[in-house]
Amino acid sequence: MKIRNIKIEIEEYENTDSLPKQDREMLTSATQAIDGSYAPYSEFHVGAAALLDNGELILGSNQENAAYPSGLCAERVTLFYAKSQFPDAVVKTLAVTAKADHYEIDHPITPCGACRQVIAEVQNRQEEKIRVIMKGETGKVQVVNGIEHLLPLMFREEKLKRSRSKK
Ligand code: THU
């Protein structure tokens, strides 16, 4: 047995003022996207913005449902819309932020596990890493350059459809 350590890297910024301009603009768009959130059950409104290499800026938000599991997170709404409208476009950056009805979110909102897996699939379909920018309502901002920093040991099976005879 051996212990293997995996290194992940997270950029941390004290606040939005210290962010590169484009990241700041992405967070402004993600904040605007919160307006489209439908979250009467959790009262937790999430906005996301995806910048594509064709210049398109896609906004999305969480969409809940009375049958709870039928709802979808902002990140997946945004990426599924982006890739269905522009299947060949490269997703350069994804920004995520949130606002709760009854308290202040003072820490970065990081994508849930299912959303990380979806971000991974999108990144794996393209050659470029996705820059993920994460912020709450106030407080520090975290940024990763590539989903591997949020999802080490991701499920990525390129041989799913191979037969036993062909290795
Ligand atoms: N949610 C997101 O949209 N993105 C996240 O990264 C975390 C959670 C949504 C799902 C649900 O509508 C609400 O936030 C509370 O979990």
Side-chain angles (χ1 to χ4, degrees):
M1 190 277 263
K2 67 176 179 186
I3 304 286
R4 180 177 290 184
N5 292 298
I6 298 174
K7 186 177 162 211
I8 62 163
E9 213 166 77
I10 303 158
E11 295 174 14
E12 266 190 10
Y13 299 86
E14 273 316 301
N15 49 51
T16 41
D17 297 341
S18 49
L19 270 179
K21 183 163 171 273
Q22 194 180 49
D23 292 352
R24 211 165 41 233
E25 288 169 358
M26 287 298 298
L27 279 173
T28 301
S29 299
T31 305
Q32 284 164 4
I34 290 176
D35 292 344
S37 161
Y38 174 66
Y41 306 106
S42 69
E43 301 180 331
F44 189 87
H45 305 273
V46 186
L51 180 65
L52 313 187
D53 69 341
N54 60 8
E56 292 283 343
L57 181 66
I58 308 294
L59 304 189
S61 53
N62 57 331
Q63 301 295 318
E64 296 186 349
N65 195 284
Y68 288 8
S70 302
L72 201 63
C73 294
E75 296 91 322
R76 275 176 286 166
V77 168
T78 304
L79 288 178
F80 287 155
Y81 179 78
K83 292 301 286 183
S84 52
Q85 291 299 306
F86 305 102
D88 301 324
V90 167
V91 177
K92 311 273 288 179
T93 310
L94 179 69
V96 188
T97 189
K99 194 174 186 316
D101 283 346
H102 304 292
Y103 64 97
E104 182 180 293
I105 307 170
D106 59 3
H107 56 274
I109 293 305
T110 54
C112 78
C115 285
R116 291 178 198 211
Q117 188 66 35
V118 168
I119 298 168
E121 187 82 17
V122 174
Q123 180 175 298
N124 294 338
R125 286 170 69 185
Q126 60 190 39
E127 274 169 16
E128 273 184 63
K129 309 269 186 212
I130 299 178
R131 183 168 172 85
V132 184
I133 306 164
M134 299 159 286
K135 183 184 167 282
E137 205 180 336
T138 58
K140 70 182 177 199
V141 181
Q142 291 180 321
V143 182
V144 293
N145 287 298
I147 190 62
E148 57 276 27
H149 298 286
L150 286 177
L151 193 62
L153 301 184
M154 71 183 77
F155 178 71
R156 184 183 182 180
E157 183 50 79
E158 284 144 23
K159 294 180 186 164
L160 276 179
K161 283 192 289 191
R162 299 261 173 97
S163 65
R164 281 187 184 276
S165 51
K166 279 190 267 161
K167 284 265 156 64

